[in-house]
């Protein structure tokens, strides 16, 4: 009975134990009552059954306990080996538990952490943020998050993101804070470096008058940065981002080129194109775009990404440099040509004032001898030679310095030249507006020399029988056309300019006039057209 009592005491927590206790009470109540042997056997059988059932339940409890231990071991492994530091804090902020990752993060041992306030590992400038973090957890059932600066055990610092939740309890002292601490120093440093790089890039682009843009031709979209908007003189809300709207800003002369440059061809290509645009204010700007095609979100499509540079000022300075160089060339050519003209004038005056006068004197003397002595026909031949010498001298004098041009003007000078060069085998026609006489004297002289050289070429080289000179002035535009019916030029114009001093002189004079020359030469004749504007100021003309 003693064994049964002890067995029953150990089994009082189970239903089987309770049933056994009931049977034992029967024994106790029937202590003075005789119990038959059969009743005792029945009771013993029942107890044996209860014992077997209890042993079976005990085995099941052992298996459950073993499974629970295995699961706890898994949880402990996951808890300690997690890549995030886990901390459990009490209601005062003391650390009651921490995993291995948390210890590694703080660079401290566990016995130095347990029951130490978590605030002691936070820099003073982050305390206020941490207290606000705790307050938010106390008043919310949702997860809270914050970034703060931590002071490590080796006196170093790091930045961490802290996420946490509170486990409430009716007893305030039993409140627990479960927080996760993630080291974000590397990502924060990378972010700071990225921002610094971005700032330096923006400063560099701004200092170099450069913006960035992206063009997605498949979606008809253009994306500008702030400086690109400034280049085009636009506010972000004034541009709808469509490629077609961008094309409206491009100068018509460059529209086809920029469309071709932005057209994708199925493979990456470098793009380097200059184009002109009109700003909203109507200002003309020169833009340089450089970049390349890149893969779009859709791998089968490509878009263009690059930079935009405002090179308007560079173009202006380059144009001024070109104008300066051209001006210097004009001054050199002008000085050369004027030296030639002065030399010709001096030679002409010398021929006219000396040689011609001597020849006239010889002729008069010979005529007197012939009249007095009635000599033979030798004097006739002498007279003819002298006439020829006088005619050639006049011709040289005229070509060196055309006095009719100075005395009677450009129109009369050209007509006199045409009349003088016309022979039985060669005819020169003229069609000249009288307003040509209003041109500046230097311009008249240059045009006279140009026409003179062109007509001489028709006579000497083209074997022409007819030439025509046309001079028209329409407001400020002067147009000269010299044509003939000769055999034309043989060879390339550039080669002829290098070989022939006459054509080179024509080209130089056209350059001084800031004009353009066009030549159309065939086997049936040659037509040369020279066009220039006559709206320069007097000071500009005097400088050529």
């Amino acid at each position: 009975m003693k064994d049964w009592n002890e067995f029953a005491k150990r089994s009082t927590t189970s239903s089987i134990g309770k049933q056994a206790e009931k049977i034992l009470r029967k024994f106790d109540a029937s202590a003075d009552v005789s119990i038959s042997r059969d009743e005792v056997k029945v009771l013993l059988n029942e107890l044996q059954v209860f014992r077997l059932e209890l042993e079976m339940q005990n085995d099941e409890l052992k298996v459950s306990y073993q499974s629970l231990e295995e699961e706890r071991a898994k949880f402990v492994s996951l808890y300690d080996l997690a890549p995030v530091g886990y901390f459990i804090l009490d209601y005062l902020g003391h650390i009651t538990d921490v995993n291995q990752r948390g210890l590694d993060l703080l660079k401290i041992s566990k016995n130095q952490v347990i029951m130490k306030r978590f605030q002691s590992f936070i820099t003073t400038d982050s305390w206020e943020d941490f207290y606000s973090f705790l307050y938010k957890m106390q008043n919310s059932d949702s997860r809270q998050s914050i970034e703060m600066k931590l002071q490590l055990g080796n006196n170093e610092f790091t930045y961490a993101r802290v996420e946490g939740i509170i486990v409430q309890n009716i007893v305030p002292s039993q409140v627990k804070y479960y927080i996760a601490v993630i080291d974000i120093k590397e990502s924060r440093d990378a972010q700071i470096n990225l921002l610094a790089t971005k700032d330096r890039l923006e400063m560099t682009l701004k200092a170099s008058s450069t913006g960035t843009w992206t063009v997605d031709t498949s979606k008809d979209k253009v994306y500008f940065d702030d400086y690109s908007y400034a280049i085009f003189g636009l506010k972000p809300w004034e541009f709808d981002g469509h490629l077609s709207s961008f094309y409206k800003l491009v100068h018509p002369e460059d529209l086809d080129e920029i469309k071709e440059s932005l057209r994708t061809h199925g493979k990456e290509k470098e793009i380097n194109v200059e184009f002109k645009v009109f700003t909203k204010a109507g200002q003309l700007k020169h833009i340089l775009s450089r970049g390349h095609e890149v893969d779009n979100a859709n791998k089968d499509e490509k878009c263009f990404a690059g930079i935009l540079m405002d090179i308007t000022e560079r173009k202006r300075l380059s144009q001024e440099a070109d104008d300066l160089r051209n001006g210097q060339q004009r001054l050199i050519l002008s000085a050369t040509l004027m030296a030639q003209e002065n030399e010709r004038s001096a030679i002409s005056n010398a021929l006219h004032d000396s040689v011609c006068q001597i020849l006239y004197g010889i002729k008069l003397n010979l005529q007197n001898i012939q009249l007095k002595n009635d000599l033979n026909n030798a004097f006739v031949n002498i007279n003819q030679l002298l006439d020829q010498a006088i005619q050639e001298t006049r011709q040289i004098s005229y070509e060196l310095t055309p006095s009719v041009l100075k005395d009677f003007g450009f129109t009369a000078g050209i007509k006199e030249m045409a009349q003088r060069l016309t022979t039985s085998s060669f005819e020169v026609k003229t069609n000249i507006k009288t307003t040509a006489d209003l041109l500046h004297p230097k311009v008249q002289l240059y045009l006279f020399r140009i026409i003179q050289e062109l007509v001489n070429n028709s006579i000497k080289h083209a074997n022409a029988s007819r030439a025509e000179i046309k001079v028209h002035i329409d407001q400020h535009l002067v147009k000269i056309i010299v044509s003939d019916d000769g055999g034309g030029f043989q060879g390339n114009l550039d080669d002829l300019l290098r070989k022939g001093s006459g054509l080179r002189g024509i080209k130089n004079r056209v350059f001084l006039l800031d004009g353009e020359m066009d030549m159309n030469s065939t086997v049936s004749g040659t037509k040369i057209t020279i066009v220039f504007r006559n709206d320069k100021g007097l000071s500009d003309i005097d400088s050529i």
Side-chain angles (χ1 to χ4, degrees):
M1 291 297 293
K2 183 178 179 181
D3 293 337
W4 289 349
N5 287 333
E6 291 178 357
F7 173 75
K9 289 178 181 179
R10 290 196 303 268
S11 307
T12 54
T13 58
S14 65
S15 60
I16 297 175
K18 290 180 181 179
Q19 293 181 25
E21 185 180 7
K22 186 184 294 185
I23 294 173
L24 289 175
R25 280 199 298 268
K26 286 183 180 181
F27 278 104
D28 292 340
S30 306
D32 299 332
V33 179
S34 61
I35 300 176
S36 66
R37 186 176 296 276
D38 293 334
E39 290 177 337
V40 170
K41 289 182 178 180
V42 170
L43 291 173
L44 288 174
N45 287 333
E46 290 181 358
L47 288 174
Q48 289 291 336
V49 171
F50 292 152
R51 180 179 179 179
L52 290 173
E53 290 181 356
L54 186 61
E55 289 178 351
M56 292 175 63
Q57 289 188 1
N58 186 46
D59 291 339
E60 291 179 356
L61 286 173
K62 287 182 178 180
V63 172
S64 298
Y65 178 76
Q66 184 177 358
S67 299
L68 183 61
E69 283 295 317
E70 291 177 354
E71 293 298 325
R72 191 185 71 84
K74 291 180 181 178
F75 172 76
V76 170
S77 297
L78 291 174
Y79 181 72
D80 285 334
L81 298 177
V84 177
Y86 292 114
F87 294 80
I88 300 176
L89 312 181
D90 64 13
Y91 75 105
L92 294 177
H94 295 101
I95 301 173
T96 61
D97 198 5
V98 57
N99 69 344
Q100 186 59 44
R101 176 57 181 165
L103 296 174
D104 295 339
L105 178 64
L106 295 179
K107 299 185 184 303
I108 200 169
S109 61
K110 193 166 186 176
N111 59 352
Q112 295 176 298
V113 171
I114 298 301
M115 297 311 297
K116 191 170 183 179
R117 298 189 72 180
F118 189 78
Q119 294 92 312
S120 61
F121 299 101
I122 303 174
T123 58
T124 56
D125 55 343
S126 297
W127 280 1
E128 185 176 350
D129 295 333
F130 179 71
Y131 294 141
S132 175
F133 171 68
L134 294 179
Y135 178 79
K136 289 179 180 178
M137 284 196 294
Q138 293 172 3
N139 294 275
S140 175
D141 294 331
S142 61
R143 183 181 63 181
Q144 301 297 320
S145 177
I146 192 175
E147 291 186 5
M148 61 182 65
K149 187 176 180 181
L150 300 181
Q151 184 171 359
L152 308 181
N154 58 358
N155 294 323
E156 294 181 356
F157 298 93
T158 190
Y159 291 90
R161 185 174 74 252
V162 181
E163 297 181 357
I165 192 169
I166 190 172
V167 178
Q168 299 283 1
N169 195 295
I170 58 175
V171 180
S173 61
Q174 299 299 317
V175 170
K176 298 288 185 182
Y177 298 101
Y178 289 78
I179 63 174
V181 181
I182 305 167
D183 189 352
I184 61 170
K185 186 176 186 302
E186 291 186 1
S187 61
R188 182 183 176 91
D189 291 344
Q191 184 179 11
I192 292 174
N193 292 334
L194 181 61
L195 290 174
T197 302
K198 180 176 179 291
D199 291 339
R200 288 196 299 270
L201 177 60
E202 290 180 350
M203 291 174 60
T204 302
L205 292 175
K206 186 174 181 180
S208 60
S209 300
T210 303
T212 60
W213 70 323
T214 305
V215 181
D216 190 340
T217 54
S218 62
K219 297 180 180 179
D220 188 38
K221 285 291 185 180
V222 179
Y223 307 95
F224 292 137
D225 69 346
D226 292 339
Y227 195 78
S228 294
Y229 281 116
I231 290 177
F232 292 108
L234 295 170
K235 300 295 183 182
W237 58 85
E238 295 176 334
F239 183 68
D240 60 10
H242 289 101
L243 185 59
S244 54
S245 300
F246 164 72
Y247 286 150
K248 293 179 181 178
L249 301 174
V250 179
H251 194 284
E253 293 178 357
D254 303 324
L255 188 57
D256 291 339
E257 182 179 3
I258 193 67
K259 284 184 176 180
E260 177 62 25
S261 298
L262 296 179
R263 187 175 295 119
T264 57
H265 297 283
K267 62 180 181 180
E268 289 190 7
K269 66 172 185 177
E270 297 292 330
I271 297 179
N272 187 347
V273 60
E274 289 186 14
F275 58 96
K276 300 182 290 294
V277 298
F278 287 110
T279 66
K280 185 179 179 181
Q283 181 184 3
L284 181 65
K285 285 190 174 184
H286 294 265
I287 308 297
L288 171 63
S289 177
R290 290 179 178 171
H292 57 86
E293 288 180 348
V294 295
D295 290 332
N296 203 343
N298 184 352
K299 297 298 183 181
D300 296 331
E301 297 178 354
K302 294 182 180 293
C303 64
F304 167 75
I307 60 173
L308 292 171
M309 298 179 64
D310 184 355
I311 59 173
T312 305
E313 183 65 14
R314 186 194 306 175
K315 281 287 187 180
R316 185 186 67 80
L317 294 176
S318 176
Q319 184 62 44
E320 288 183 357
D322 290 340
D323 292 342
L324 181 60
R325 284 193 295 270
N326 291 337
Q328 291 174 343
Q329 292 179 5
R330 287 191 178 92
L331 288 174
I332 294 172
L333 285 174
S334 177
T336 302
L337 293 175
M338 288 309 300
Q340 292 177 358
E341 295 296 338
N342 292 334
E343 185 178 359
R344 287 176 176 179
S345 179
I347 295 172
S348 175
N349 292 331
L351 289 174
H352 183 272
D353 297 338
S354 61
V355 178
C356 285
Q357 299 301 325
I358 293 172
L359 291 175
Y360 273 119
I362 293 173
K363 183 178 181 179
L364 291 175
N365 289 328
L366 290 175
Q367 286 177 350
N368 289 331
I369 293 172
Q370 184 180 15
L371 290 175
K372 292 179 180 179
N373 299 314
D374 193 19
L375 299 177
N376 56 26
N377 293 331
F379 288 101
V380 176
N381 295 331
I382 294 174
N383 281 329
Q384 290 176 352
L385 291 174
L386 289 174
D387 287 338
Q388 184 178 356
I390 292 172
Q391 182 178 359
E392 290 181 359
T393 303
R394 286 179 175 177
Q395 179 69 20
I396 294 173
S397 177
Y398 182 86
E399 290 182 356
L400 288 173
T401 303
S403 58
V404 66
L405 184 66
K406 295 181 179 180
D407 298 334
F408 301 103
F410 179 77
T411 303
I414 295 296
K415 288 183 178 180
E416 194 277 336
M417 178 179 64
Q419 182 179 1
R420 181 169 46 83
L421 296 176
T422 297
T423 63
S424 59
S425 59
F426 184 77
E427 180 184 12
V428 182
K429 292 185 177 181
T430 60
N431 183 355
I432 305 175
K433 297 290 185 181
T434 56
T435 51
D437 292 334
L438 301 178
L439 295 172
H440 192 278
K442 280 190 177 181
V443 176
Q444 293 184 30
L445 180 59
Y446 286 171
L447 295 183
F448 183 87
R449 294 302 187 194
I450 290 172
I451 295 172
Q452 184 182 47
E453 182 62 34
L454 291 175
V455 175
N456 284 333
N457 284 339
S458 298
I459 297 173
K460 297 177 182 178
H461 306 294
N463 296 322
S465 61
R466 182 177 56 83
E468 184 175 7
I469 303 168
K470 294 182 179 180
V471 179
H472 296 283
I473 300 178
D474 184 10
Q475 293 183 350
H476 296 296
L477 191 66
V478 180
K479 187 175 184 180
I480 301 168
I481 301 174
V482 179
S483 58
D484 63 45
D485 60 353
F489 286 98
Q490 302 298 322
N492 183 270
L493 178 60
D494 292 333
D495 293 335
L496 294 173
L497 288 172
R498 284 192 294 269
K499 294 177 181 178
S501 59
L503 282 177
R504 191 162 57 247
I506 294 173
K507 189 71 174 178
N508 289 338
R509 287 183 171 87
V510 172
F511 172 73
L512 287 173
L513 294 171
D514 199 16
E516 296 180 357
M517 183 174 71
D518 178 67
M519 183 178 71
N520 183 12
S521 183
T522 64
V523 294
S524 59
T526 300
K527 179 181 178 181
I528 294 180
T529 304
I530 297 171
V531 180
F532 67 94
R533 296 189 62 84
N534 187 45
D535 51 1
K536 291 186 177 181
L538 187 60
S539 59
D540 295 329
I541 294 176
D542 288 336
S543 66
I544 65 175

